[in-house]
Amino acid sequence: MNIQIAPSLLSADFANLNNDVKKCERAGIKILHVDVMDGCFVPNITIGPVVVESLRKRTKLILDTHLMIKNPENFVEPFAKAGSDWITFHAETVLKPLEIIKKITKLGLKPGVSINPLTPVSKISQYLDKVFLVLVMSVNPGFGGQKFMPSVLSKVRELRRLSDKSKNKFKVEIDGGINFDTISDAVGAGANIIVAGNTVFRSKYGIKGSINRLRIAAKKTGR
Ligand code: DX5
Ligand code: ZN
């Protein structure tokens, strides 16, 4: 299986963002994970469309935009305009998921849906044929550097089975607490996009060194 590591900019140096982005590019990264928080759905505030707009001017990497916000439908257009490529909303925040999926798709972007650690796969099963990716949170969203919750691995396994047997081979992304030890369990369970913040941007090995170490550790699963 093709495994992609998506560095989460939340742990990058915001005063030197472009520098960190270029280091990711040089390490062969294809996807940057952009965490958007509103201080309402989650207890933290991060970045908005203006930052995506600036990033878009500097990089061609896929901007994987993770909306941890209430009323995400209001921000689909602004992020699309700013240059996001993928937009993922939280299943816990919407009453009409199909409408927002349609909105994202119509704008030519890839739609994703995310579930918190305690949200079951059944909450999203009716529209798995319409999403490009499912993002499984392996920490409670809000902050980088939290501890991986192995209890979510059964959902990753379930989603991998569902993706493999469906026509719409949606990607299974995992986000939160990924490090050199936990990555093998996540990949072994079937995740193929691996978000990592602190491990990429704050480890002693540097950005490139950490990404390489994550890639090596990911291969230890036999998938
Ligand atoms: C958490 C965010 C994550 C976070 C991951 O709410 O959605 O993307 O940045 O950071 P680490 O890898 O440090 O847990
Ligand atoms: Zn995220």
Side-chain angles (χ1 to χ4, degrees):
M1 191 159 55
N2 175 26
I3 308 295
Q4 294 288 336
I5 292 168
S8 163
L9 293 180
L10 185 59
S11 304
D13 179 357
F14 275 66
N16 256 313
L17 211 44
N18 189 47
N19 204 29
D20 284 0
V21 168
K22 295 298 148 191
K23 284 186 185 164
C24 289
E25 286 179 355
R26 287 198 287 273
I29 287 297
K30 303 269 182 289
I31 306 163
L32 287 176
H33 186 80
V34 181
D35 285 307
V36 178
M37 305 185 187
D38 65 353
C40 197
F41 175 59
V42 290
N44 195 7
I45 295 179
T46 54
I47 65 179
V50 286
V51 178
V52 169
E53 200 182 327
S54 297
L55 284 168
R56 184 74 297 163
K57 290 181 190 148
R58 303 286 191 132
T59 184
K60 290 195 166 60
L61 295 186
I62 293 166
L63 298 177
D64 168 28
T65 314
H66 178 193
L67 300 183
M68 287 162 277
I69 62 177
K70 281 197 173 161
N71 305 316
E73 59 282 357
N74 295 343
F75 281 91
V76 169
E77 274 186 54
F79 277 104
K81 256 195 198 143
S84 290
D85 296 289
W86 302 351
I87 294 188
T88 297
F89 62 93
H90 266 263
E92 300 85 3
T93 62
V94 290
L95 291 173
K96 296 179 178 166
L98 283 177
E99 283 186 14
I100 182 164
I101 290 170
K102 251 191 228 158
K103 199 168 185 173
I104 297 168
T105 310
K106 241 187 176 168
L107 288 161
L109 277 62
K110 306 278 192 217
V113 62
S114 182
I115 47 176
N116 277 343
L118 290 179
T119 304
V121 170
S122 59
K123 172 114 183 150
I124 55 171
S125 43
Q126 337 81 275
Y127 47 97
L128 286 178
D129 57 335
K130 297 192 176 54
V131 291
F132 173 74
L133 69 86
V134 176
L135 171 53
V136 177
M137 289 306 303
S138 39
V139 298
N140 285 311
F143 300 93
Q146 301 183 72
K147 202 170 173 290
F148 183 77
M149 296 168 76
S151 55
V152 308
L153 288 171
S154 58
K155 291 194 291 185
V156 174
R157 272 182 224 110
E158 187 178 352
L159 286 160
R160 169 54 47 213
R161 268 197 306 274
L162 292 168
S163 173
D164 285 349
K165 71 173 195 209
S166 81
K167 256 195 214 154
N168 176 38
K169 307 257 175 264
F170 59 85
K171 296 183 186 300
V172 181
E173 184 173 17
I174 191 159
D175 183 7
I178 294 293
N179 58 35
F180 308 121
D181 297 321
T182 55
I183 191 169
S184 57
D185 285 345
V187 172
N192 56 350
I193 304 180
I194 315 292
V195 177
N198 266 32
T199 302
V200 168
F201 293 106
R202 301 195 183 182
S203 96
K204 62 178 179 188
Y205 303 110
I207 294 175
K208 195 171 180 187
S210 306
I211 291 168
N212 286 338
R213 276 181 166 77
L214 280 171
R215 286 191 179 124
I216 292 165
K219 287 202 180 108
K220 292 199 179 125
T221 59
R223 270 190 88 93

